[in-house]
Amino acid sequence: MKKLDIYVSKNFIKSFFICLIAFINIFILSQLFKVFRLVGDGRLTTGDGVLYIICMLPKIIVNVTPLAVLLGALMFISKMAGNLEVISLKTSGISFKRIVLFPIIISFFISIFVFIVSGYLYPKGEKKMRELRGDVVSTLLPTQKRNGFIRDENNNLYLLDYLNVTDGKAKKVKIIEMSDNFEKIERVIFADSGYFDRNEKIWKLKKVKINNLQLGTQENLESYSSDEYKEEPEKFVTLLVDPEILDNRELKKELVNLKNTGIDTREGISEIANRYSFPFASFVVVFLGLALGSRYVRSSSAMNVILSIFLGYGYYIVHASFEAYGKNGYMNPFICGWIANIIFLIVGIYFIQKAEY
């Protein structure tokens, strides 16, 4: 069995890389005219053009790997079936599922590799491409904020009409203290102005009115401060950047900041949900490729190739459709991201079970 596994694995990997290189070349060729135009317009030097193409590779690899796995699996198992190797192994008592076990395992590790590329190399490449094109990629936080909002770890809600982030001064400050279970309001603090003391790391408020809803009391003070109010001004603003140029760690941090400042996070959540689901398409579609190529019939070879490409693009369409549902808020983006994987995995396993050898 060891020799069989080595033989099967070697042929599957060979077919996969042939298909992957072919698809990468096709996609690069389709983008060459764009690169030539940028070089011709003087926006890129020749060296920058080469670097631009290199930066495209992570995105291309992420997008074409599932198709390469699908077609590679089909080619490899069809060749074995054409040489009557599959039926010979089946006759000797080796099940079809055992024959294709290692290609399935290899496709899982391919998915892990794509996951890493998608989460870390692709954002870096996308950012570099935009910089080379001359697109503005903002890296500075805003210096001012109107209608600032944040919720801290103590369930306090801060609402500021205006905040100057640089000097830490705010106008019309409202702090709402919520209960531990966030079900009722305990105190509401109004202040005409306030500033953040960067030495003591606390907010100091001026002309303050404190309403204690639990005790039913009201208190007016010229100034007020508490060690509990320590959220830095920078936390009230966030750098609004395209989530595609942030790696997974940066994107998670950005989503926390966006949530704390009350900004819509659907686009960012959808992006990270896609990065956690789409890379595993390679593992899903390998079942379809192996099942389609398991039967040796000369006249059906071309039809199997066409069908595999149709199924591959069908996966992209289903995945993109549910991704749009997630972005528009109709469903949880993480659930939407995995629906296509689950559907095609069930179909693939079914066809593996029904494989004729």
Side-chain angles (χ1 to χ4, degrees):
M1 295 298 288
K2 184 177 180 180
K3 289 184 178 180
L4 171 63
D5 293 332
I6 293 173
Y7 175 77
V8 169
S9 300
K10 183 175 68 174
N11 282 280
F12 171 67
I13 293 171
K14 180 181 177 181
S15 297
F16 163 69
F17 274 109
I18 290 173
C19 295
L20 181 63
I21 292 170
F23 282 123
I24 289 175
N25 286 332
I26 291 170
F27 273 76
I28 288 177
L29 287 171
S30 69
Q31 295 294 317
L32 275 181
F33 293 104
K34 180 179 180 180
V35 177
F36 289 153
R37 187 172 64 252
L38 291 172
V39 173
D41 292 342
R43 295 175 63 183
L44 296 178
T45 65
T46 303
D48 287 341
V50 174
L51 180 59
Y52 189 90
I53 293 172
I54 294 173
C55 291
M56 289 168 50
L57 289 177
K59 183 176 183 179
I60 294 173
I61 289 172
V62 170
N63 288 329
V64 305
T65 298
L67 277 177
V69 169
L70 176 63
L71 198 56
L74 177 67
M75 289 171 55
F76 134 77
I77 202 68
S78 294
K79 184 177 178 181
M80 285 189 66
N83 294 333
L84 302 181
E85 293 171 316
V86 174
I87 194 170
S88 298
L89 291 169
K90 185 68 176 178
T91 304
S92 64
I94 302 174
S95 68
F96 180 71
K97 285 181 284 188
R98 179 62 186 84
I99 295 170
V100 300
L101 174 62
F102 268 71
I104 292 173
I105 294 173
I106 292 169
S107 69
F108 177 77
F109 284 103
I110 291 173
S111 294
I112 297 296
F113 171 75
V114 175
F115 172 78
I116 295 171
V117 173
S118 174
Y120 298 96
L121 297 181
Y122 163 54
K124 302 298 182 186
E126 184 68 22
K127 183 178 180 180
K128 187 63 180 178
M129 287 167 58
R130 296 184 185 188
E131 290 174 350
L132 290 171
R133 290 198 304 264
D135 296 346
V136 177
V137 179
S138 178
T139 58
L140 298 176
L141 287 170
T143 58
Q144 299 180 37
K145 175 72 174 181
R146 295 191 180 276
N147 299 318
F149 167 84
I150 195 174
R151 171 183 173 181
D152 68 15
E153 58 185 13
N154 297 316
N155 282 340
N156 297 322
L157 302 179
Y158 299 72
L159 296 93
L160 315 177
D161 276 10
Y162 171 80
L163 171 66
N164 187 305
V165 179
T166 305
D167 57 23
K169 294 182 179 180
K171 297 178 181 179
K172 299 297 180 183
V173 180
K174 182 190 293 184
I175 300 176
I176 303 173
E177 297 181 2
M178 304 295 295
S179 60
D180 292 338
N181 55 14
F182 210 73
E183 289 185 350
K184 60 181 181 178
I185 300 173
E186 295 181 347
R187 287 203 312 172
V188 180
I189 300 172
F190 299 93
D192 284 353
S193 62
Y195 72 95
F196 184 77
D197 190 319
R198 296 190 183 275
N199 293 323
E200 298 182 26
K201 303 293 183 183
I202 59 172
W203 279 94
K204 295 185 176 181
L205 308 177
K206 302 292 184 181
K207 294 185 179 180
V208 183
K209 180 188 295 183
I210 302 175
N211 291 329
N212 192 318
L213 301 183
Q214 287 186 312
L215 301 178
T217 60
Q218 181 174 308
E219 188 177 3
N220 295 311
L221 303 170
E222 281 299 315
S223 63
Y224 179 75
S225 63
S226 172
D227 293 339
E228 189 173 344
Y229 312 137
K230 54 187 179 182
E231 298 302 311
E232 297 179 351
E234 287 75 14
K235 291 188 177 181
F236 288 82
V237 294
T238 185
L239 178 62
L240 296 177
V241 296
D242 190 335
E244 287 189 4
I245 66 173
L246 301 176
D247 64 33
N248 285 352
R249 184 173 56 184
E250 294 169 338
L251 183 53
K252 289 176 184 177
K253 183 178 179 180
E254 180 71 7
L255 287 173
V256 172
N257 292 336
L258 289 173
K259 184 177 180 181
N260 287 338
T261 53
I263 298 175
D264 187 8
T265 59
R266 283 182 299 179
E267 185 177 355
I269 292 174
S270 181
E271 174 67 22
I272 200 166
N274 183 58
R275 293 182 189 178
Y276 275 84
S277 59
F278 184 77
F280 293 94
S282 300
F283 175 72
V284 170
V285 299
V286 73
F287 290 90
L288 294 170
L290 294 170
L292 286 172
S294 63
R295 181 186 177 189
Y296 173 61
V297 179
R298 290 183 185 273
S299 60
S300 67
S301 298
M303 183 59 67
N304 284 341
V305 173
I306 295 171
L307 183 58
S308 68
I309 294 174
F310 172 79
L311 289 171
Y313 280 103
Y315 173 87
Y316 286 93
I317 293 170
V318 173
H319 182 84
S321 300
F322 281 103
E323 183 183 359
Y325 268 92
K327 281 186 177 180
N328 291 325
Y330 295 114
M331 295 176 66
N332 184 297
F334 283 93
I335 295 176
C336 291
W338 280 95
I339 288 177
N341 286 352
I342 293 171
I343 292 173
F344 279 80
L345 181 61
I346 292 172
V347 173
I349 292 174
Y350 171 80
F351 280 116
I352 285 287
Q353 295 284 357
K354 296 293 182 180
E356 297 199 27
Y357 285 115

